[in-house]
Amino acid sequence: MKNVLLLLLLMSNMYKNFVQKGYKKEAKVVIDVTVEGSPGPVRTMVKLGSSVDETIRLVIDKYSEEGRTPRLDKNNVDLSF
């Protein structure tokens, strides 16, 4: 239980520092996206300042590059959400 409390406290402090200092929109993070029917998540790097539209397109491109199935039609993706 002490370990969990210590971890939560550490994460809380890290979050406060992150919020106070802000973030660089050009900084990159790794995200995992699971596509239904695919055997595992797609892991790709995106900029923190990327829009949802840009992020989805990056994931679809990475998915296609890896030759994953089921095949996705890049030209027939509805991004109106």
Side-chain angles (χ1 to χ4, degrees):
M1 185 68 169
K2 282 185 179 180
N3 291 342
V4 172
L5 293 175
L6 183 59
L7 179 60
L8 290 173
L9 179 62
L10 178 61
M11 289 173 64
S12 173
N13 288 338
M14 288 170 48
Y15 178 75
K16 287 177 190 172
N17 288 339
F18 181 78
V19 170
Q20 288 172 352
K21 292 179 184 174
Y23 67 92
K24 297 178 183 173
K25 290 186 178 188
E26 295 299 312
K28 293 184 178 182
V29 293
V30 176
I31 61 169
D32 289 337
V33 178
T34 303
V35 176
E36 190 173 338
S38 186
V42 176
R43 178 171 279 193
T44 190
M45 291 183 88
V46 295
K47 293 179 183 176
L48 284 175
S50 295
S51 68
V52 173
D53 181 51
E54 292 169 331
T55 302
I56 291 172
R57 290 193 188 283
L58 281 169
V59 170
I60 291 172
D61 289 344
K62 179 78 171 185
Y63 184 91
S64 297
E65 281 177 19
E66 294 178 359
R68 291 177 176 246
T69 57
R71 300 249 185 259
L72 300 177
D73 183 3
K74 291 184 190 181
N75 301 320
N76 194 22
V77 177
D78 181 18
L79 298 175
S80 58
F81 38 88

